[in-house]
Amino acid sequence: MTKLTRTSTPFSLLALLLALFVSAVAAIYEDDAGVLDWHRTQIGLTSAVYTPAASGASDYVGLYTESDIFAVLHTANGSIAWRRSFADGGVKAHCALSLPGTTEFLIAITRPAGNSILYRTAWADGSLDWELSTMGQITALGSNGEILLVSEASGDIHVVGASGIKQFTVSSNGATVVAIEDGVVFAEKDNTVTLSTVDIDSQSLVEIARFEGSFVSVESDILVLRNDDSLVVVKLDQDSQAIDSITESDAESVAVSEKVVVSKSASGAVTVYDRESLGELNHLEASAATIAPGTESETFAVLTAENELNVINGATNAIISTSKLSVSSPVLIISAVGNDYLVQYSNGILQLVSESNTIWERDESIAASPIAGLFVQLPETAALDTAAGIREEILLDDASDSNANILLAYVKRVTRHLHDLQTFPRYVIRMLQSSFMFVDEVELERANMFGLHQYFVVVSGRTGRVVALDTFLKGGTVWAIDGVNVGSNNGKDTTVNLVETDVYIVTKTGAVTVINALNGEITKTEQILSTDQVVLKVVELPSGLYAWTTSDELVTIHETAPPTEIYYTNRVNEDSAWGYTISAGAEGSLVLTKTWSFNLDHGYAVATTATRPKLDKTINIGQVLEDRSVLYKYLHANLLSIAAISSEDRRLQVFLLDTVTGRVLHAKEHNEVDPARDIALVQGEHWLVYTYTATVPTLGEQLTIWDLYESGKPNQRAYDNGEEYSSFSGLLPEPYVLEKSFLTGISGTAKLGLTVTKHGITVRDVLLLTRSNQVLSYAKPQLLSPITKSPTDKSQNTSMVSPYSFFDHATTLLSQSRKSTVLTYNLPLELAGNTSLLVSAPTALESTTLVAVAGTDVYVVRVTPSKPFDVLNTIAFSKQQLIYTVAAMLVVVGYLRPQVGKKRANAKWGVE
Ligand SMILES: *[C@@H]1O[C@H](CO)[C@@H](O)[C@H](O)[C@H]1NC(C)=O
Ligand SMILES: *[C@@H]1O[C@H](CO)[C@@H](O)[C@H](O)[C@H]1NC(C)=O
Ligand SMILES: *[C@@H]1O[C@H](CO)[C@@H](O)[C@H](O)[C@H]1NC(C)=O
């Protein structure tokens, strides 16, 4: 019997009392897990601004963006009133017209095939009045009282009634209609601009005037033409005849205000003319970069190259206001909206500025060609990572042939506990504080502890802006930096890598930018290549990052220690793949040696490739079957899958390559595949999944899955004598492949993804980013899980493995979908642009993984593929209750012990 001293009872009680404080932190709650984290609505960079035609200040402004979205914003606060994306299907051209005297406008969208659709829509809510399809590209829209004029590139002008009924068509005889203004059609052909009106009665086009030059713009009675190197400003009368004109020899642009016409020369000098008489009012030797019409009748705005905005009265030349814009990036568009100016900067910021201050601001850079999205774990989580300490002990234990290791592990544990103890007072104080803290702070602390609080860093290839979003604080911006060199072509050939918490951005020409992801500081910029070299690929080795150049050299980008071993790497271009080894050469240089090459058949091009995610882990080597036998997984660390498509043959080939030897381990061909539709591919532990659209066996998108096993027979390994197989020994068996295909039942899968968790114990989910802007998830075992046939039929072998899954009776994947598999809850999102990213990152909770999609919008959600199994159910498990119970027991023991002792003593004495 252990001896319980008298003093120990109060001590135990004290300890228990302290432990009570600890209780509240312990777990994330069930309803916290798997919740929708946040959704950031974006529209992209503005390329055209439209305002309602009704005069006076307006509540709305319409923007057409580079992401092919038409969005109407509230001018009061910049929030989106509504938006409509035309990106799916592509846009060749667009034009829009605000209908005077109505609350509606027209927007025409021309598709890549050349046909157009015209919509008549309400400003306030985007409700559709009617739509009209035409065969050609719509080039200009005009309204003439009751009728609408719609011109096409072919020169045809449709006369459309207010209710959207086409009445008749006239032709401009091959001239391109460039504008329709106040019922006058401006058509251009052979450096001549012809002005005509449509005669409704005779249903013909009547020419009324003709000018030399090419068309620049028209603003009711001011027509601007370009003739040789000069701009010609023509003042038209009621009947569109020229009254007067001025020729500006070195003018670059002309802005027309209600009362003044302003021209800007290439050198930035500004000349102001009276709109009525075209007489020169003023001349300013300003250094204007951009001029824009003002918000009042006589004013205009001059923007200097230093982003100083001067609002000038054209008549008096007086500067009404001058202010420095709050963002220093170049301005793409400045446009007067109501009494303010809407400014789109090249870094993606959209602002509404008044004379002196910013009314609102939106950061649209994230929507502009995001080339990388990276989850960055915060140091707070790492500090709380006791699992790492335990892992170290286990590692020591594993290698423990000697007692020294056991001792070492023991010492480690004691130190760890001592270390934990040091933080205990702080912990108690925190707990006491937390009762006074805001709920949010407590939540944040918990999110830090469980790794749910991370930064999501997005690199925009269009704007060169890098933004970190807080995954926990609803996607708020933590930091943003501009002017990062992301290369040309919207960052298409730029590589982004995360090394610990440093973001490495490497352009094709060898410009490297290193950003500390925790504070957004650029820690290094350098040019690692000479001008005649190009980066083919960035290779990540345990020793660092290297740029693979055109001359097959490896240039160090970042290195922690010189590499000592030989590594295998590979490179894929449009129609070939090559394998190389990397070995240490003289003086610490690295040598690339080609070992194999793989060429696709003639006419085939690589559609997509995949390898297993770096963070994906294996925890067991077999798959347990129904009869408790085991099918051994074909685990291979060096696999590359390639999907190749032949547009001519409409055939898809999928290969699984061993990247060490270049051997094709498995291949499959699919016929009648639509090469214009998405092909997506993802590779996991011992399997791969891909989607494609085919017409056989039935038209629709299909999903095929390969599961690789060592052998088709349960309990049998590749080599009976227990020999280890590897690519290096030449003893590599071919995998036994179970295959299965489904019809997905959705219109298209833009991207496939995979969830990764911290230790890889949790089931993997396969993620589908659909063309309809939703993310679906399917547990991998539901897709394909080999089971043994139940031994009902004696004639059949009982342990025959076949690709039957739990969902075998499903005709399509979607018919089996439960609501929870739609990770985006059918919210109206804009995700599936062709540059969209689908990223997954582990948290400190094994059950939970963070999934982010960045297309136009950013959407982040927590996913628990095996349900939140490590989440403490606070109803079933109450730490308080346990502690109270133990405390009560101690009290009882404390009270009973003397009595029992007395009784025993009496018994020994023989006294009853
Ligand atoms: C923005 O302003 C509009 C109209 O003034 C209002 O309906 C809307 O709720 C506002 N949005 C936000 C986010 O404040
Ligand atoms: C993305 O779409 C645009 C327009 O639809 C197209 O021009 C471009 O080539 C596409 N990019 C990729 C990578 O498919
Ligand atoms: C069962 O499997 C064994 C070994 O694979 C084979 O020899 C035998 O013919 C099979 N029996 C039936 C009934 O298929």
Side-chain angles (χ1 to χ4, degrees), residues 207-228:
E207 183 179 322
I208 50 174
R210 189 177 268 260
F211 296 96
E212 278 286 295
S214 60
F215 178 85
V216 176
S217 69
V218 62
E219 181 90 29
S220 84
D221 60 345
I222 301 291
L223 168 67
V224 184
L225 302 164
R226 181 170 292 281
N227 217 337
D228 296 329

PDB file of all heavy atoms in Angstrom, residues 207-228:
ATOM      1  N   GLU A 207     -26.383  57.959 -96.168  1.00  0.00           N
ATOM      2  CA  GLU A 207     -25.121  58.604 -95.817  1.00  0.00           C
ATOM      3  C   GLU A 207     -25.326  60.096 -95.661  1.00  0.00           C
ATOM      4  O   GLU A 207     -26.006  60.732 -96.463  1.00  0.00           O
ATOM      5  CB  GLU A 207     -24.080  58.326 -96.914  1.00  0.00           C
ATOM      6  CG  GLU A 207     -22.742  58.907 -96.546  1.00  0.00           C
ATOM      7  CD  GLU A 207     -21.678  58.634 -97.597  1.00  0.00           C
ATOM      8  OE1 GLU A 207     -21.663  57.530 -98.171  1.00  0.00           O
ATOM      9  OE2 GLU A 207     -20.857  59.545 -97.845  1.00  0.00           O
ATOM     10  N   ILE A 208     -24.736  60.652 -94.569  1.00  0.00           N
ATOM     11  CA  ILE A 208     -24.915  62.088 -94.369  1.00  0.00           C
ATOM     12  C   ILE A 208     -23.590  62.844 -94.355  1.00  0.00           C
ATOM     13  O   ILE A 208     -23.561  64.038 -94.575  1.00  0.00           O
ATOM     14  CB  ILE A 208     -25.710  62.382 -93.074  1.00  0.00           C
ATOM     15  CG1 ILE A 208     -25.114  61.622 -91.894  1.00  0.00           C
ATOM     16  CG2 ILE A 208     -27.181  62.070 -93.240  1.00  0.00           C
ATOM     17  CD1 ILE A 208     -25.750  61.965 -90.577  1.00  0.00           C
ATOM     18  N   ALA A 209     -22.496  62.168 -94.070  1.00  0.00           N
ATOM     19  CA  ALA A 209     -21.210  62.876 -94.095  1.00  0.00           C
ATOM     20  C   ALA A 209     -20.088  61.859 -94.256  1.00  0.00           C
ATOM     21  O   ALA A 209     -20.287  60.657 -94.090  1.00  0.00           O
ATOM     22  CB  ALA A 209     -21.011  63.671 -92.807  1.00  0.00           C
ATOM     23  N   ARG A 210     -18.903  62.355 -94.547  1.00  0.00           N
ATOM     24  CA  ARG A 210     -17.773  61.481 -94.825  1.00  0.00           C
ATOM     25  C   ARG A 210     -16.497  62.214 -94.418  1.00  0.00           C
ATOM     26  O   ARG A 210     -16.358  63.405 -94.688  1.00  0.00           O
ATOM     27  CB  ARG A 210     -17.790  61.200 -96.329  1.00  0.00           C
ATOM     28  CG  ARG A 210     -16.861  60.157 -96.845  1.00  0.00           C
ATOM     29  CD  ARG A 210     -17.120  60.003 -98.347  1.00  0.00           C
ATOM     30  NE  ARG A 210     -18.100  58.959 -98.593  1.00  0.00           N
ATOM     31  CZ  ARG A 210     -17.759  57.718 -98.974  1.00  0.00           C
ATOM     32  NH1 ARG A 210     -16.503  57.408 -99.178  1.00  0.00           N
ATOM     33  NH2 ARG A 210     -18.672  56.806 -99.176  1.00  0.00           N
ATOM     34  N   PHE A 211     -15.595  61.541 -93.727  1.00  0.00           N
ATOM     35  CA  PHE A 211     -14.355  62.196 -93.279  1.00  0.00           C
ATOM     36  C   PHE A 211     -13.157  61.315 -93.589  1.00  0.00           C
ATOM     37  O   PHE A 211     -13.248  60.088 -93.527  1.00  0.00           O
ATOM     38  CB  PHE A 211     -14.394  62.441 -91.762  1.00  0.00           C
ATOM     39  CG  PHE A 211     -15.478  63.395 -91.331  1.00  0.00           C
ATOM     40  CD1 PHE A 211     -16.699  62.922 -90.881  1.00  0.00           C
ATOM     41  CD2 PHE A 211     -15.263  64.761 -91.394  1.00  0.00           C
ATOM     42  CE1 PHE A 211     -17.695  63.803 -90.495  1.00  0.00           C
ATOM     43  CE2 PHE A 211     -16.261  65.643 -91.008  1.00  0.00           C
ATOM     44  CZ  PHE A 211     -17.485  65.160 -90.551  1.00  0.00           C
ATOM     45  N   GLU A 212     -12.041  61.966 -93.879  1.00  0.00           N
ATOM     46  CA  GLU A 212     -10.776  61.262 -94.058  1.00  0.00           C
ATOM     47  C   GLU A 212     -10.210  60.880 -92.695  1.00  0.00           C
ATOM     48  O   GLU A 212     -10.355  61.655 -91.747  1.00  0.00           O
ATOM     49  CB  GLU A 212      -9.759  62.189 -94.747  1.00  0.00           C
ATOM     50  CG  GLU A 212      -9.863  62.283 -96.239  1.00  0.00           C
ATOM     51  CD  GLU A 212      -9.349  61.030 -96.922  1.00  0.00           C
ATOM     52  OE1 GLU A 212      -8.133  60.752 -96.807  1.00  0.00           O
ATOM     53  OE2 GLU A 212     -10.174  60.316 -97.549  1.00  0.00           O
ATOM     54  N   GLY A 213      -9.567  59.763 -92.606  1.00  0.00           N
ATOM     55  CA  GLY A 213      -8.894  59.398 -91.352  1.00  0.00           C
ATOM     56  C   GLY A 213      -9.504  58.164 -90.718  1.00  0.00           C
ATOM     57  O   GLY A 213     -10.502  57.613 -91.204  1.00  0.00           O
ATOM     58  N   SER A 214      -8.850  57.728 -89.653  1.00  0.00           N
ATOM     59  CA  SER A 214      -9.393  56.558 -88.960  1.00  0.00           C
ATOM     60  C   SER A 214     -10.080  57.012 -87.673  1.00  0.00           C
ATOM     61  O   SER A 214      -9.694  58.014 -87.066  1.00  0.00           O
ATOM     62  CB  SER A 214      -8.287  55.546 -88.663  1.00  0.00           C
ATOM     63  OG  SER A 214      -7.304  56.140 -87.857  1.00  0.00           O
ATOM     64  N   PHE A 215     -11.062  56.265 -87.290  1.00  0.00           N
ATOM     65  CA  PHE A 215     -11.913  56.638 -86.166  1.00  0.00           C
ATOM     66  C   PHE A 215     -11.181  56.459 -84.833  1.00  0.00           C
ATOM     67  O   PHE A 215     -10.507  55.453 -84.610  1.00  0.00           O
ATOM     68  CB  PHE A 215     -13.163  55.755 -86.199  1.00  0.00           C
ATOM     69  CG  PHE A 215     -14.104  56.004 -85.071  1.00  0.00           C
ATOM     70  CD1 PHE A 215     -15.049  57.011 -85.141  1.00  0.00           C
ATOM     71  CD2 PHE A 215     -14.057  55.215 -83.928  1.00  0.00           C
ATOM     72  CE1 PHE A 215     -15.927  57.229 -84.103  1.00  0.00           C
ATOM     73  CE2 PHE A 215     -14.931  55.434 -82.889  1.00  0.00           C
ATOM     74  CZ  PHE A 215     -15.868  56.442 -82.973  1.00  0.00           C
ATOM     75  N   VAL A 216     -11.297  57.425 -83.939  1.00  0.00           N
ATOM     76  CA  VAL A 216     -10.743  57.290 -82.592  1.00  0.00           C
ATOM     77  C   VAL A 216     -11.877  57.243 -81.568  1.00  0.00           C
ATOM     78  O   VAL A 216     -12.016  56.284 -80.832  1.00  0.00           O
ATOM     79  CB  VAL A 216      -9.751  58.428 -82.259  1.00  0.00           C
ATOM     80  CG1 VAL A 216      -9.261  58.317 -80.826  1.00  0.00           C
ATOM     81  CG2 VAL A 216      -8.566  58.392 -83.213  1.00  0.00           C
ATOM     82  N   SER A 217     -12.703  58.307 -81.552  1.00  0.00           N
ATOM     83  CA  SER A 217     -13.811  58.300 -80.598  1.00  0.00           C
ATOM     84  C   SER A 217     -14.850  59.307 -81.023  1.00  0.00           C
ATOM     85  O   SER A 217     -14.589  60.183 -81.854  1.00  0.00           O
ATOM     86  CB  SER A 217     -13.311  58.633 -79.192  1.00  0.00           C
ATOM     87  OG  SER A 217     -12.895  59.980 -79.139  1.00  0.00           O
ATOM     88  N   VAL A 218     -16.028  59.180 -80.453  1.00  0.00           N
ATOM     89  CA  VAL A 218     -17.052  60.182 -80.681  1.00  0.00           C
ATOM     90  C   VAL A 218     -17.806  60.377 -79.372  1.00  0.00           C
ATOM     91  O   VAL A 218     -18.049  59.435 -78.626  1.00  0.00           O
ATOM     92  CB  VAL A 218     -17.986  59.791 -81.856  1.00  0.00           C
ATOM     93  CG1 VAL A 218     -18.724  58.497 -81.578  1.00  0.00           C
ATOM     94  CG2 VAL A 218     -18.986  60.912 -82.150  1.00  0.00           C
ATOM     95  N   GLU A 219     -18.079  61.623 -79.080  1.00  0.00           N
ATOM     96  CA  GLU A 219     -18.775  61.951 -77.840  1.00  0.00           C
ATOM     97  C   GLU A 219     -19.818  62.995 -78.217  1.00  0.00           C
ATOM     98  O   GLU A 219     -19.503  64.155 -78.361  1.00  0.00           O
ATOM     99  CB  GLU A 219     -17.743  62.501 -76.842  1.00  0.00           C
ATOM    100  CG  GLU A 219     -18.283  62.859 -75.495  1.00  0.00           C
ATOM    101  CD  GLU A 219     -18.217  61.683 -74.536  1.00  0.00           C
ATOM    102  OE1 GLU A 219     -17.323  60.829 -74.695  1.00  0.00           O
ATOM    103  OE2 GLU A 219     -19.070  61.629 -73.631  1.00  0.00           O
ATOM    104  N   SER A 220     -20.982  62.585 -78.456  1.00  0.00           N
ATOM    105  CA  SER A 220     -22.096  63.360 -79.050  1.00  0.00           C
ATOM    106  C   SER A 220     -21.626  64.234 -80.210  1.00  0.00           C
ATOM    107  O   SER A 220     -21.493  63.729 -81.312  1.00  0.00           O
ATOM    108  CB  SER A 220     -22.938  64.040 -77.979  1.00  0.00           C
ATOM    109  OG  SER A 220     -22.412  65.248 -77.585  1.00  0.00           O
ATOM    110  N   ASP A 221     -21.276  65.500 -80.016  1.00  0.00           N
ATOM    111  CA  ASP A 221     -20.955  66.313 -81.196  1.00  0.00           C
ATOM    112  C   ASP A 221     -19.455  66.471 -81.441  1.00  0.00           C
ATOM    113  O   ASP A 221     -19.043  67.268 -82.271  1.00  0.00           O
ATOM    114  CB  ASP A 221     -21.624  67.692 -81.079  1.00  0.00           C
ATOM    115  CG  ASP A 221     -21.150  68.433 -79.832  1.00  0.00           C
ATOM    116  OD1 ASP A 221     -20.556  67.752 -78.952  1.00  0.00           O
ATOM    117  OD2 ASP A 221     -21.359  69.640 -79.737  1.00  0.00           O
ATOM    118  N   ILE A 222     -18.642  65.760 -80.733  1.00  0.00           N
ATOM    119  CA  ILE A 222     -17.192  65.857 -80.941  1.00  0.00           C
ATOM    120  C   ILE A 222     -16.671  64.523 -81.485  1.00  0.00           C
ATOM    121  O   ILE A 222     -16.739  63.497 -80.813  1.00  0.00           O
ATOM    122  CB  ILE A 222     -16.450  66.196 -79.634  1.00  0.00           C
ATOM    123  CG1 ILE A 222     -16.933  67.534 -79.049  1.00  0.00           C
ATOM    124  CG2 ILE A 222     -14.937  66.220 -79.841  1.00  0.00           C
ATOM    125  CD1 ILE A 222     -16.543  68.765 -79.851  1.00  0.00           C
ATOM    126  N   LEU A 223     -16.191  64.578 -82.712  1.00  0.00           N
ATOM    127  CA  LEU A 223     -15.658  63.379 -83.348  1.00  0.00           C
ATOM    128  C   LEU A 223     -14.140  63.497 -83.398  1.00  0.00           C
ATOM    129  O   LEU A 223     -13.607  64.535 -83.781  1.00  0.00           O
ATOM    130  CB  LEU A 223     -16.231  63.257 -84.770  1.00  0.00           C
ATOM    131  CG  LEU A 223     -15.602  62.232 -85.699  1.00  0.00           C
ATOM    132  CD1 LEU A 223     -15.867  60.810 -85.213  1.00  0.00           C
ATOM    133  CD2 LEU A 223     -16.137  62.398 -87.118  1.00  0.00           C
ATOM    134  N   VAL A 224     -13.452  62.460 -82.986  1.00  0.00           N
ATOM    135  CA  VAL A 224     -11.988  62.485 -83.021  1.00  0.00           C
ATOM    136  C   VAL A 224     -11.509  61.448 -84.028  1.00  0.00           C
ATOM    137  O   VAL A 224     -11.932  60.291 -83.990  1.00  0.00           O
ATOM    138  CB  VAL A 224     -11.391  62.210 -81.625  1.00  0.00           C
ATOM    139  CG1 VAL A 224      -9.882  62.322 -81.655  1.00  0.00           C
ATOM    140  CG2 VAL A 224     -11.977  63.143 -80.582  1.00  0.00           C
ATOM    141  N   LEU A 225     -10.645  61.890 -84.910  1.00  0.00           N
ATOM    142  CA  LEU A 225     -10.110  61.002 -85.948  1.00  0.00           C
ATOM    143  C   LEU A 225      -8.595  61.031 -85.890  1.00  0.00           C
ATOM    144  O   LEU A 225      -8.011  61.989 -85.381  1.00  0.00           O
ATOM    145  CB  LEU A 225     -10.544  61.502 -87.332  1.00  0.00           C
ATOM    146  CG  LEU A 225     -12.042  61.624 -87.600  1.00  0.00           C
ATOM    147  CD1 LEU A 225     -12.263  62.491 -88.823  1.00  0.00           C
ATOM    148  CD2 LEU A 225     -12.635  60.246 -87.803  1.00  0.00           C
ATOM    149  N   ARG A 226      -7.982  60.020 -86.422  1.00  0.00           N
ATOM    150  CA  ARG A 226      -6.529  60.034 -86.545  1.00  0.00           C
ATOM    151  C   ARG A 226      -6.191  60.080 -88.026  1.00  0.00           C
ATOM    152  O   ARG A 226      -6.665  59.265 -88.812  1.00  0.00           O
ATOM    153  CB  ARG A 226      -5.916  58.800 -85.883  1.00  0.00           C
ATOM    154  CG  ARG A 226      -4.390  58.772 -85.963  1.00  0.00           C
ATOM    155  CD  ARG A 226      -3.810  57.672 -85.103  1.00  0.00           C
ATOM    156  NE  ARG A 226      -3.991  57.901 -83.683  1.00  0.00           N
ATOM    157  CZ  ARG A 226      -3.235  58.721 -82.956  1.00  0.00           C
ATOM    158  NH1 ARG A 226      -2.266  59.428 -83.524  1.00  0.00           N
ATOM    159  NH2 ARG A 226      -3.460  58.864 -81.663  1.00  0.00           N
ATOM    160  N   ASN A 227      -5.378  61.064 -88.356  1.00  0.00           N
ATOM    161  CA  ASN A 227      -4.970  61.220 -89.746  1.00  0.00           C
ATOM    162  C   ASN A 227      -3.456  61.308 -89.767  1.00  0.00           C
ATOM    163  O   ASN A 227      -2.884  62.237 -89.203  1.00  0.00           O
ATOM    164  CB  ASN A 227      -5.578  62.510 -90.307  1.00  0.00           C
ATOM    165  CG  ASN A 227      -5.978  62.319 -91.740  1.00  0.00           C
ATOM    166  OD1 ASN A 227      -5.444  61.442 -92.425  1.00  0.00           O
ATOM    167  ND2 ASN A 227      -6.927  63.123 -92.192  1.00  0.00           N
ATOM    168  N   ASP A 228      -2.811  60.356 -90.394  1.00  0.00           N
ATOM    169  CA  ASP A 228      -1.353  60.246 -90.330  1.00  0.00           C
ATOM    170  C   ASP A 228      -0.946  60.260 -88.852  1.00  0.00           C
ATOM    171  O   ASP A 228      -1.409  59.446 -88.097  1.00  0.00           O
ATOM    172  CB  ASP A 228      -0.673  61.368 -91.115  1.00  0.00           C
ATOM    173  CG  ASP A 228      -1.013  61.265 -92.592  1.00  0.00           C
ATOM    174  OD1 ASP A 228      -1.207  60.107 -93.040  1.00  0.00           O
ATOM    175  OD2 ASP A 228      -1.116  62.290 -93.263  1.00  0.00           O
TER     176      ASP A 228
END
